[in-house]
Amino acid sequence: HLLSLINDVLDMSRIESGKVKIEEKAVHLPDLVHDVRSIIQPNISSKRLSLFIDTMDVVDEDIITDPLRLNQVLLNILSNAVKYTPQGGHIRMEVEELTHTEHYAKYRFVVQDDGIGMSEAYQKTLFDPFTREERSGTNKVQGTGLGMAITKNIVDLMGGSINVESTTGKGTRFEVVLEFPIDAEADTA
């Protein structure tokens, strides 16, 4: 927990000082999604949650992006879904290709859970650093209050958008929309 705390504080500091750069690498999207699932699966299993991942209508699977940062965004959101979904709950992640041109494709990443949800008031400060909702269901969960601030900053650096919809007691839905260059070399190979 202490290592996670230090990493979050350092990440936030680097972001705020403008030191975070988005690296561009060739990425096979299904492999990245598989890696994310592999990382989160032990937490899913230990809480006896159901995780369903759907990559619907993804035509352009080979893209150029920063795999480390995209991983970080998806894992931060999924980790929160795991933390705030009671045992036996459900988490769904969808990856959908919205539009594409000859050189770019836009994707929507949705993570939805049937967990404890968030109040409307808290949703307004969700992406602010060091904010956490204080109520009985959240007090037992460890966290720095930096994960969503870091996630929002990374999404902004990548030129995308992030939105949240949540209802207390019914769950939360995060939607991230990002556009990436298509890896044309991978397509021809």
Side-chain angles (χ1 to χ4, degrees):
H1 175 66
L2 188 57
L3 183 60
S4 173
L5 172 69
I6 292 167
N7 283 334
D8 282 352
V9 170
L10 289 173
D11 242 0
M12 199 66 211
S13 177
R14 279 192 294 266
I15 287 168
E16 287 177 341
S17 66
K19 299 256 193 280
V20 172
K21 301 283 183 250
I22 300 298
E23 306 285 326
E24 295 201 330
K25 296 180 182 172
V27 173
H28 187 65
L29 198 51
D31 289 347
L32 186 135
V33 171
H34 177 75
D35 291 348
V36 166
R37 179 182 203 123
S38 298
I39 292 167
I40 203 79
Q41 191 61 50
N43 296 349
I44 295 284
S45 299
S46 71
K47 280 189 79 176
R48 294 191 192 111
L49 301 173
S50 298
L51 174 64
F52 181 75
I53 297 179
D54 186 10
T55 53
M56 51 188 167
D57 303 323
V58 174
V59 177
D60 301 294
E61 295 181 331
D62 296 292
I63 56 174
I64 305 294
T65 190
D66 188 328
L68 181 69
R69 295 301 176 184
L70 182 55
N71 246 334
Q72 190 174 10
V73 165
L74 296 176
L75 283 172
N76 277 350
I77 296 170
L78 279 166
S79 294
N80 276 357
V82 170
K83 278 190 229 177
Y84 297 109
T85 300
Q87 189 168 322
H90 305 85
I91 299 171
R92 179 182 181 89
M93 182 170 119
E94 297 172 358
V95 183
E96 180 182 8
E97 186 171 339
L98 299 174
T99 60
H100 66 119
T101 63
E102 187 179 345
H103 302 290
Y104 290 89
K106 188 179 282 190
Y107 301 84
R108 175 172 38 219
F109 300 86
V110 173
V111 175
Q112 188 161 353
D113 64 61
D114 57 3
I116 64 171
M118 293 177 265
S119 68
E120 204 171 310
Y122 176 65
Q123 289 175 55
K124 294 174 181 155
T125 62
L126 172 68
F127 298 115
D128 296 345
F130 301 108
T131 58
R132 298 192 67 206
E133 186 166 28
E134 299 300 327
R135 58 187 168 113
S136 61
T138 64
N139 293 343
K140 299 177 200 114
V141 178
Q142 289 185 332
T144 60
L146 285 173
M148 285 295 100
I150 291 169
T151 299
K152 169 87 166 86
N153 278 285
I154 291 170
V155 169
D156 288 348
L157 281 169
M158 296 175 93
S161 65
I162 182 168
N163 294 298
V164 63
E165 296 169 14
S166 187
T167 304
T168 305
K170 294 194 176 173
T172 302
R173 180 185 187 274
F174 279 95
E175 178 181 293
V176 176
V177 176
L178 293 163
E179 187 173 62
F180 305 114
I182 296 169
D183 185 3
E185 291 177 19
D187 285 347
T188 56

